[in-house]
Amino acid sequence: MKLLGRGSLDCRNILLREELRRREIGSPEKEHKLSKAIQEHVWQRKGPDRCRQALLRIGVNMMALPGGCHLDSIPLPGQRPHLMQVDSVQRWMEDLKLMTECECMCVLQAKPISLEEDAQGDLILAGGPGPGDPLQLLLKRGWVISTELRRIGQKLAQDRWARVHSMSVRLTCHARSMVSEYSAVSRNSSQEMSQIEKLLMEKCSELSAVTERCLQVENEHVLKSMKACVSETLSTLGEHFGQLLELALTREVQALVRKIDASDNIYTTESTTGNLFSLTQEGAPLCRIIAKEGGVVALFKICRQDTLRCLYPQALRTLASICCVEEGVHQLEKVDGVLCLADILTDDSHSEATRAEAAAVVAQVTSPHLPFTQHLSSFLESMEEIVTALVKLCQEASSGEVFLLASAALANITFFDTMACEMLLQLNAIRVLLEACSDKQRVDTPYTRDQIVTILANMSVLEQCASDIIQENGVQLIMGMLSEKPRSGTPAEVAACERVQQKAAVTLARLSRDPDVAREAVRLSCMSRLIELCRSPSERNSSDAVLVACLAALRRLAGVCPEGLQDSDFQQLVQPRLVDSFLLCSNMEESFV
C-alpha cells in the first residue's frame, strides 16, 4: 500500500486497487476498460487533480503485475501521454526532468573538496579551439603547457612527488595534443619543427619516466640527486617547448603578413589586420615576432594607400601595440614611419579617429619609460609639425579619449626633447590645456589630468611660463589638482591621482620662483593644502612621492611668504632638513590639522 500514498484515496478506491492486484490482466482491451472505469470513478468523486494522482499510482502498480502489458501510442500534439501507454525508457525520460536536480545535489554532496590549488588544471581546455584555427590552438595550448611547467616546478620545490608525476603525465598529454592538432590544421611543417617536436616528446616521456621512478625511491639522498635530474629535464623541456611555440607562431604570423601584402580585397585586409592586432594583445614576445616578420612594414603599407583610408585607425592601433618593443620602433624608423605619422596628423582630411590613433603611435614611440625610444633620431626632423598638429587635436577634440591620446603624446614629447616645451609655449598650449580642464567632455578622468599636469610641470622650467600660468588662472587649477581624489578606488585610478598630486606640487614649486606666482598661491590657500597633504597620510594615500613634492613646494612658498605658516608648521616642515621633515611626516598615523 506504500505506492498508493498516505490516505489520499477513499476506501472504494483502495478496494478497486486490491481487486486489480488479484486479477491477471491478459489483454490490452481488459486493461483499457478497467483503467477507464477507475478513471471515471475517480473523476466523479475527487475531481481532475485527484484523478491525475490516481492514474499515476495505478500506472506504477500495473508495471509490477505479472502479465501486464504496455500500449505504444503516439500522443496528440500538446498532450502528455498517459503513463500506462509509454514504455519504461519514455517514463524514465519523463521522470528524469523532475529527478535531475536531486541527482545533481547527490553528486555534489558526494564529491570531495580538493585541497590542491591546481586541481582545476584538468579542465583548462574544456572548450577547445575550433577546427582550422591554428593560431588560437597554439595560444591556448601554449598557455596551458606554460602553466603546467610552472606548477610542476612549484611542486618539485615542495618535494611533492605524487603531484609532480601526475602533472608530468598531464603535461605529456597536452604536448602531444598540441603537436597532433597543429599538424592536422597547419601546412607541411619544416624539418626544424619536426626535429624540435621529436625532442619535445622525448623529454616529456623522460620526465614522466623519471618522476615515476622517484615515487618508488624512499632514500632521501637518492631522491635529492634525482631531483636535480628532474629539474634539468624540466628546464630542457621548457626550452624545447619555447622553441617549438616560437617557430609555429612565426609561421602563422608570416602567413598573416603575406596575406596583408598580397590582398587586394579590403574586407580580407581588414580581417587579417584585426587578427594581427589580436596577436599583439598576447604580450611582448608576439609583438617581437610580428616586428621581425615584417608586420610594421605591411601596416605602414596600408597607411600609405588612399584607397584603404577606412583601415587607417585599425592599422595604426596595431602599430602602437607593436611599438611597445624595441624591434617595432626600429622597424618604424627604417620605413620612415615618423614621416608617415606626421603626414596623417597634419592632414585635416583624415578623420579625427585616424589622427587620434596616429597620436597614440607617437605617444608610444616617445614613451619615457622605454629606453630605446630616446634614440629615435628621425623624430626630431618632424617634431615641430607633430607638436603643432597635436595641440590642434587637443583644442578640437570631441571626446575625452581623443584628448587623452593627444595630450599623452605631447606629455611624452616634453620628456623626449626640451625644445618641445619652447614650441608649446609659442603655440599657446598652456591656454589650450587649461581651457580644456574646465570642459568635462574632454577632461573627465585623473588619467587625462595626469597628462596635462605633466606638460605643465615640464614647461614650468621655462621662466616665461609663469606669466602665462597666472594669466590663464593656472594656479587655481593646480591648486585643484592637489585635491585630486579617485572615484572608483581601483589601484590604477588611485595611482593616477597620486601622480596628479605629486606633479601638481612639483609644478607649484618650480613656478614659485616667480614672486607673483608664489603670492597668488598663498592667496589661494595652497600652503594650508600642502600642510594637510604632509601631515595627513590618508590625504595623499600614504604616498612618499607626494610627500616629498609637497614638502619641497611648501619650503619654496615659505621662502617667499613665511608669514603664511604657523610656528609649529615652520619648525617641523620647513626649518629641519628635508629628510628629517620627511621622516617625521611619513611616520604620522593621524592628521594634526
Side-chain angles (χ1 to χ4, degrees):
M1 294 300 293
K2 289 182 180 179
L3 289 174
L4 294 177
R6 294 188 178 97
S8 61
L9 301 177
D10 56 14
C11 296
R12 202 153 183 186
N13 234 350
I14 296 173
L15 291 175
L16 286 171
R17 288 188 177 281
E18 293 297 331
E19 180 67 20
L20 181 60
R21 283 199 183 91
R22 288 195 296 268
R23 294 179 56 184
E24 178 177 350
I25 302 174
S27 65
E29 291 80 5
K30 291 181 179 180
E31 178 183 344
H32 181 66
K33 289 179 180 179
L34 182 58
S35 64
K36 187 175 181 181
I38 296 174
Q39 181 180 355
E40 290 176 354
H41 170 76
V42 176
W43 184 274
Q44 293 172 359
R45 296 281 298 175
K46 301 296 181 182
D49 293 333
R50 293 296 180 86
C51 176
R52 192 176 297 110
Q53 295 176 13
L55 286 175
L56 175 62
R57 290 169 174 77
I58 292 173
V60 171
N61 285 335
M62 288 186 66
M63 288 295 177
L65 291 177
C69 61
H70 307 285
L71 302 178
D72 296 327
S73 62
I74 302 176
L76 296 174
Q79 289 183 336
R80 185 177 185 273
H82 292 296
L83 294 178
M84 294 167 52
Q85 297 175 325
V86 296
D87 60 19
S88 57
V89 175
Q90 286 178 288
R91 284 203 45 219
W92 176 75
M93 293 293 289
E94 289 286 337
D95 294 340
L96 191 60
K97 295 177 182 178
L98 304 176
M99 296 163 55
T100 303
E101 185 175 352
C102 297
E103 292 284 347
C104 291
M105 291 302 295
C106 291
V107 172
L108 288 173
Q109 290 171 4
K111 189 177 180 61
I113 299 176
S114 175
L115 298 177
E116 296 290 346
E117 296 178 357
D118 53 355
Q120 58 183 353
D122 297 328
L123 303 176
I124 287 179
L125 275 182
D133 192 359
L135 267 174
Q136 290 303 317
L137 184 147
L138 285 170
L139 293 173
K140 204 163 190 178
R141 286 288 184 191
W143 180 79
V144 171
I145 294 175
S146 299
T147 304
E148 291 294 340
L149 285 169
R150 176 177 56 81
R151 288 175 173 175
I152 291 174
Q154 293 173 348
K155 301 305 176 187
L156 182 63
Q158 300 170 1
D159 294 331
R160 301 178 62 180
W161 293 104
R163 292 299 301 164
V164 169
H165 175 62
S166 64
M167 294 171 73
S168 300
V169 173
R170 194 165 67 203
L171 174 68
T172 303
C173 295
H174 284 308
R176 185 178 293 110
S177 297
M178 185 184 79
V179 170
S180 61
E181 289 172 0
Y182 181 68
S183 300
V185 299
S186 66
R187 295 158 294 280
N188 296 329
S189 60
S190 63
Q191 184 177 359
E192 184 180 8
M193 281 191 67
S194 300
Q195 184 178 0
I196 295 178
E197 287 175 1
K198 182 179 179 182
L199 292 173
L200 175 66
M201 296 315 303
E202 287 177 355
K203 282 297 175 184
C204 284
S205 300
E206 181 180 337
L207 182 66
S208 299
V210 70
T211 53
E212 186 177 10
R213 288 198 300 272
C214 289
L215 291 175
Q216 303 169 0
V217 175
E218 297 181 358
N219 190 305
E220 292 185 2
H221 296 288
V222 176
L223 266 180
K224 190 174 182 180
S225 61
M226 294 185 75
K227 182 177 181 179
C229 177
V230 172
S231 181
E232 183 180 354
T233 304
L234 192 64
S235 176
T236 307
L237 192 156
E239 292 177 5
H240 291 328
F241 166 68
Q243 293 170 356
L244 178 62
L245 188 61
E246 184 175 359
L247 280 175
L249 289 172
T250 300
R251 288 187 60 191
E252 298 304 320
V253 169
Q254 288 173 345
L256 286 177
V257 172
R258 285 196 301 267
K259 197 172 181 180
I260 292 175
D261 286 333
S263 174
D264 55 357
N265 185 302
I266 189 172
Y267 300 106
T268 303
T269 305
E270 181 181 14
S271 173
T272 310
T273 307
N275 291 337
L276 210 58
F277 174 74
S278 298
L279 285 181
T280 63
Q281 305 307 296
E282 297 295 332
L286 265 169
C287 290
R288 292 190 182 94
I289 294 175
I290 294 171
K292 290 178 181 178
E293 299 306 323
V296 174
V297 179
L299 291 168
F300 270 113
K301 180 180 176 182
I302 293 175
C303 294
R304 289 188 168 102
Q305 297 183 49
D306 286 339
T307 56
L308 299 177
R309 282 197 169 204
C310 60
L311 301 184
Y312 283 12
Q314 187 180 55
L316 290 167
R317 193 179 304 119
T318 308
L319 281 167
S321 298
I322 298 174
C323 288
C324 71
V325 297
E326 187 172 3
E327 293 81 357
V329 177
H330 288 166
Q331 289 296 318
L332 178 140
E333 193 166 21
K334 283 183 180 179
V335 297
D336 291 329
V338 174
L339 183 60
C340 181
L341 294 172
D343 291 340
I344 293 173
L345 283 168
T346 55
D347 188 351
D348 291 337
S349 65
H350 286 294
S351 66
E352 183 184 65
T354 299
R355 286 179 288 148
E357 294 297 345
V361 181
V362 172
Q364 183 63 65
V365 300
T366 56
S367 173
H369 304 293
L370 304 177
F372 50 82
T373 60
Q374 299 299 322
H375 306 292
L376 196 63
S377 57
S378 62
F379 185 81
L380 296 176
E381 300 173 6
S382 305
M383 186 171 69
E384 186 173 359
E385 295 178 0
I386 291 175
V387 168
T388 304
L390 289 172
V391 171
K392 184 179 180 181
L393 187 58
C394 285
Q395 189 172 13
E396 300 175 352
S398 62
S399 67
E401 183 180 0
V402 173
F403 186 92
L404 175 61
L405 293 173
S407 59
L410 285 175
N412 288 351
I413 291 173
T414 58
F415 286 108
F416 189 80
D417 192 90
T418 54
M419 288 178 56
C421 295
E422 296 178 1
M423 292 178 186
L424 288 171
L425 198 62
Q426 294 173 1
L427 293 168
N428 293 323
I430 291 178
R431 178 179 57 81
V432 173
L433 296 173
L434 295 180
E435 283 181 355
C437 287
S438 58
D439 183 0
K440 297 300 182 184
Q441 187 174 358
R442 287 184 291 169
V443 181
D444 56 347
T445 66
Y447 308 107
T448 309
R449 282 185 281 274
D450 181 20
Q451 307 308 320
I452 293 174
V453 74
T454 299
I455 298 171
L456 294 177
N458 288 338
M459 290 183 67
S460 61
V461 298
L462 303 176
E463 292 183 2
Q464 309 94 305
C465 181
S467 60
D468 288 0
I469 289 284
I470 293 178
Q471 192 174 10
E472 300 295 335
N473 295 322
V475 178
Q476 187 172 359
L477 286 170
I478 294 172
M479 170 68 177
M481 291 179 179
L482 288 173
S483 301
E484 189 73 28
K485 296 287 186 182
R487 296 179 182 176
S488 64
T490 60
E493 190 172 357
V494 170
C497 291
E498 291 176 15
R499 292 194 300 271
V500 171
Q501 289 180 329
Q502 177 198 3
K503 293 171 184 176
V506 169
T507 305
L508 194 60
R510 290 176 177 177
L511 291 174
S512 294
R513 295 190 309 267
D514 189 312
D516 293 335
V517 174
R519 283 191 289 269
E520 179 69 9
V522 172
R523 186 183 70 82
L524 294 171
S525 303
C526 282
M527 293 183 74
S528 60
R529 176 57 182 165
L530 290 170
I531 292 171
E532 184 180 19
L533 286 167
C534 292
R535 291 191 176 278
S536 177
S538 61
E539 287 295 317
R540 64 176 187 270
N541 196 41
S542 300
S543 170
D544 290 341
V546 175
L547 174 58
V548 171
C550 289
L551 284 171
L554 186 62
R555 287 165 180 247
R556 180 63 62 86
L557 289 175
V560 179
C561 303
E563 64 276 6
L565 285 174
Q566 296 180 3
D567 290 341
S568 60
D569 295 328
F570 183 82
Q571 292 174 5
Q572 294 178 350
L573 304 179
V574 176
Q575 191 176 30
R577 294 182 307 162
L578 181 62
V579 63
D580 293 333
S581 296
F582 170 79
L583 292 174
L584 173 67
C585 295
S586 61
N587 292 326
M588 290 181 179
E589 296 182 358
E590 60 181 351
S591 174
F592 291 91
V593 179

